Amino acid sequence: MIETVLDYASWASILGGLFFMVVGTIGVLRLPDVFTRLHAAGMTDTMGAGLLILGMSFQTVVGIMHGETSYWSVLIRLVFVYAFLMFTSPISTHALARAAIVSGLEPWTNDHEDDA
Amino acid sequence: MFVAATIGILASMAIVLVRALLGPTVYDRVMAVNIFGTKTVLLIAVLGFLTDRPEFLDLALVYALINFIGTIAVLKFFAFGDLGLTRRVERGPE
């Protein structure tokens, strides 16, 4: 019973993660400049990766309930992957935005659109 | 389910590659490559579950670290023109 619930939760998490990932990617393709695109990229990194890894963790928990003890190490590795992504994604986003600002890129505003 | 996840991740990787090729500034390209790396980490993890060999997650861990270091190094190179060595040499020993 609880395995079925976990299976459905895993489905929902992975589909939600895919949704955020695809939406963030479309944003990266369509938004007007680096800084706005960084916003979409950050959404991909937090919600997309987070929900996908959550879904995979539910699957490993189901595997553990079926008696596969080797899945414990898989669960720990998933937590480590998530922790690394959560540490490195904001750092690289911040470094990118700072490098772009230092190099003299002007952030896009609505006024530019009206002038053009 | 993991087949759907794999296809979705591959599709978004393709779209990100388009941005890496189009990107007007070098920062767009660096950002696109960074996102591509993050998606590669997830793709390796999902592929591990798809083929019933979740031990692939070790590769995902290593790839996450390499991706981060590579992004920071490339950014530093393009923002400051070097990786810090030449300036230290110019400053001299005193």
Side-chain angles (χ1 to χ4, degrees):
Chain A
M1 157 56 188
I2 195 157
E3 289 169 18
T4 323
V5 173
L6 277 177
D7 210 33
Y8 278 120
S10 149
W11 259 101
S13 300
I14 287 184
L15 287 184
L18 277 182
F19 171 76
F20 275 102
M21 181 154 285
V22 170
V23 167
T25 313
I26 292 173
V28 167
L29 189 65
R30 298 207 44 182
L31 285 173
D33 82 335
V34 181
F35 304 103
T36 49
R37 280 178 206 139
L38 275 175
H39 158 69
M43 196 173 71
T44 311
D45 281 355
T46 41
M47 282 309 278
L51 279 179
L52 272 175
I53 289 178
L54 185 70
M56 286 186 259
S57 310
F58 282 142
Q59 282 295 318
T60 46
V61 171
V62 170
I64 289 170
M65 288 177 134
H66 281 298
E68 298 206 41
T69 46
S70 71
Y71 271 41
W72 277 111
S73 66
V74 174
L75 191 59
I76 293 171
R77 280 172 206 161
L78 274 175
V79 171
F80 267 102
V81 169
Y82 181 71
F84 277 135
L85 281 183
M86 284 307 109
F87 274 116
T88 58
S89 147
I91 295 175
S92 50
T93 304
H94 174 86
L96 247 167
R98 185 167 162 273
I101 281 277
V102 165
S103 80
L105 275 185
E106 287 282 321
W108 178 87
T109 56
N110 251 332
D111 315 337
H112 292 235
E113 193 79 347
D114 295 340
D115 294 341
Chain B
M1 164 168 50
F2 290 121
V3 175
T6 310
I7 292 173
I9 293 176
L10 279 176
S12 50
M13 280 167 100
I15 302 177
V16 164
L17 267 191
V18 172
R19 171 50 67 195
L21 290 175
L22 287 179
T25 67
V26 70
Y27 301 104
D28 288 289
R29 295 177 208 269
V30 175
M31 179 195 66
V33 170
N34 184 27
I35 304 170
F36 193 81
T38 310
K39 288 186 198 317
T40 310
V41 173
L42 292 173
L43 180 70
I44 294 172
V46 170
L47 267 184
F49 279 93
L50 181 68
T51 54
D52 250 336
R53 290 168 66 192
E55 297 84 9
F56 274 20
L57 278 169
D58 288 339
L59 305 184
L61 265 175
V62 174
Y63 205 92
L65 293 174
I66 290 177
N67 180 38
F68 173 63
I69 302 288
T71 304
I72 295 294
V74 170
L75 268 182
K76 201 165 178 195
F77 184 74
F78 278 111
F80 302 112
D82 58 60
L83 292 177
L85 180 64
T86 44
R87 220 171 295 162
R88 210 178 304 144
V89 171
E90 278 164 14
R91 223 180 280 135
E94 59 278 340

